[in-house]
Amino acid sequence: MKKTARVIVTYDCPRYCENCCNEHIGNVPEVKFENLLKYEELVITGGEPMLLAPRVVEMIHRLRANGYTGKIWLYTSCIKTARWADREVLKEVDGITYTLHHRPSQNDLRDVRKLNKFILEKIYPWKGKRSDRLLIDSRCYTEEVLSIIGLHETGEEHWESVRPLKWRNDECPLPEGEELVFYDLENG
Ligand code: SF4
């Protein structure tokens, strides 16, 4: 069995960050659904996978229905807990890595505040502490931002980690043992 697939499910993303890793990745091999079953774990990423949240729910359900027992992780920077599909994805995955990017809007901050509360109240009591990680761009990792997103009230116990993310200007090398693949969730 292969180790880890980092699965780009869409290249679309509304954020247009400077030096996005996807500017450097070149030609990513496209895989069929059956190929995903060959990996020990899957990291669903993009672009912004939650642009297709209902399709991500279907993808996870289909994987499980086909006997997939590996871990499924989600990399995202846009979860809106008011949407059913986002809540469903949050419950189904084994953990998320959520990034709050530089120059967050009021909506971005509100989304993280709601996400923090959702994990505290709906995930943590049910599943215990998972591998949920909150990364905050170091350029906006301030006491004020931590307070706005609610961490001063709730503490961080329900997160595996909350830490500043130093924005990189290199070509984002893949962690060892991971393969980057594209699974066309919009058309697949
Ligand atoms: S949020 Fe991620 S995928 Fe989207 S532009 Fe920024 S770095 Fe790229």
Side-chain angles (χ1 to χ4, degrees), residues 71-86:
K71 302 272 191 203
I72 302 176
W73 313 104
L74 174 77
Y75 275 47
T76 177
S77 55
C78 183
I79 289 181
K80 294 190 180 289
T81 55
R83 300 188 300 211
W84 75 267
D86 295 42

Side-chain angles (χ1 to χ4, degrees), residues 13 15-17 20-22 46-48 77 101 167:
C13 180
R15 292 195 187 272
Y16 305 103
C17 302
C20 168
C21 290
N22 287 352
E48 176 46 71
S77 55
H101 285 281
W167 197 246

Side-chain angles (χ1 to χ4, degrees), residues 1-3 5 7 31-42 59-70 72:
M1 202 159 191
K2 297 178 174 186
K3 182 92 179 77
V7 187
V31 294
K32 297 279 175 219
F33 177 79
E34 292 67 32
N35 296 102
L36 299 176
L37 302 170
K38 296 177 184 160
Y39 290 88
E40 282 176 26
E41 54 180 18
L42 301 172
M59 175 186 172
I60 296 171
H61 287 173
R62 190 174 168 202
L63 284 162
R64 295 305 188 201
N66 278 271
Y68 186 76
T69 55
I72 302 176

Side-chain angles (χ1 to χ4, degrees), residues 6 8 10 13 19 21 28 47 53-54 56 75 77 82 85 90 96-97 101 108 127 138 151-152 156 162 166:
R6 192 170 286 240
I8 295 175
T10 177
C13 180
N19 203 47
C21 290
V28 178
V56 174
Y75 275 47
S77 55
L90 273 172
I96 65 167
T97 296
H101 285 281
D108 293 335
K127 297 211 163 180
S138 54
L151 289 171
H152 286 168
E156 300 175 9
V162 177
K166 191 160 176 1

